[in-house]
Amino acid sequence: DTEVTQTPKHLVMGMTNKKSLKCEQHMGHRAMYWYKQKAKKPPELMFVYSYEKLSINESVPSRFSPECPNSSLLNLHLHALQPEDSALYLCASSQVRGTYEQYFGPGTRLTVT
Amino acid sequence: QQQVKQSPQSLIVQKGGISIINCAYENTAFDYFPWYQQFPGKGPALLIAIRPDVSEKKEGRFTISFNKSAKQFSLHIMDSQPGDSATYFCAASMSGGAQKLVFGQGTRLTINP
């Protein structure tokens, strides 16, 4: 099973709202990733967690706050977003050693009004 | 040097034909080269991947050709079908720890029936 699940599928939020995106995998992967994808563009890496510790932050604005509560779960907390943050937010996971396949979830389509 | 250049941006192929998408990279430290297929509104799905120690890898109708000296790799889709119509991304990464995938810009493939 190579499934990564994400909730919600769609999210509409105002610029003053606080919301969270959730991601879950049960493949025993110890690396988890958040990507942002705009229309007709490739995924753009935001954060990487390795063994539940933040290992890469690609200079993402502080209005995006990641959290990895355990090895299966990854959250992205959103606060005071801008309309230009509207995008497809993708979660992915992989092994840390050995094979390097990264498996993506279906994404959360976020619209900021 | 971190870039992966992908061409063409869009491609139209007749049903039953061969679709060919090309990628080039500069960073010789890259040692893992996956291809992803993405349908509209969905997350990228890992299609096939190759490492530099082999020159070709085939899975069903999908083949990756790899030229280490030219720092190029390509995806061939044999007997292309309308269901193959999607956006394809090549990517590259380095082994060791939770790795950052560097994506090409994507190719929108349309298979005409």
Side-chain angles (χ1 to χ4, degrees), chain A residues 8-55:
Chain A
K9 289 185 179 179
H10 303 276
L11 179 62
V12 179
M13 61 185 290
M15 289 190 283
T16 58
N17 290 158
K18 285 185 181 181
K19 296 286 184 183
S20 296
L21 310 184
K22 296 185 185 302
C23 173
E24 190 167 4
Q25 58 88 14
H26 293 288
M27 294 178 276
H29 291 168
R30 300 305 297 275
M32 296 186 77
Y33 310 75
W34 280 116
Y35 289 84
K36 173 183 176 178
Q37 187 178 28
K38 301 284 263 184
K40 299 184 180 180
K41 295 291 186 183
E44 185 182 324
L45 184 67
M46 300 174 72
F47 303 103
V48 181
Y49 274 83
S50 179
Y51 296 108
E52 295 88 70
K53 292 191 187 324
L54 185 64
S55 62

Side-chain angles (χ1 to χ4, degrees), chain B residues 18-86:
Chain B
I18 303 173
S19 304
I20 302 174
I21 305 170
N22 301 298
C23 286
Y25 64 98
E26 288 295 322
N27 190 344
T28 54
F30 288 146
D31 61 357
Y32 173 68
F33 302 90
W35 285 89
Y36 285 86
Q37 177 190 58
Q38 187 175 26
F39 293 104
K42 305 292 184 184
L46 180 62
L47 200 57
I48 187 172
I50 198 167
R51 296 188 184 282
D53 52 349
V54 296
S55 60
E56 186 175 283
K57 183 174 181 180
K58 187 174 183 178
E59 288 185 4
R61 297 185 293 110
F62 300 92
T63 299
I64 300 179
S65 297
F66 187 83
N67 186 329
K68 189 174 181 178
S69 61
K71 292 185 284 187
Q72 294 175 347
F73 58 110
S74 60
L75 176 70
H76 292 62
I77 305 175
M78 312 300 287
D79 186 26
S80 299
Q81 299 296 312
D84 297 330
S85 297

Side-chain angles (χ1 to χ4, degrees), chain A residues 44-47 56-62:
Chain A
E44 185 182 324
L45 184 67
M46 300 174 72
F47 303 103
I56 298 176
N57 176 341
E58 292 283 288
S59 303
V60 178
S62 60

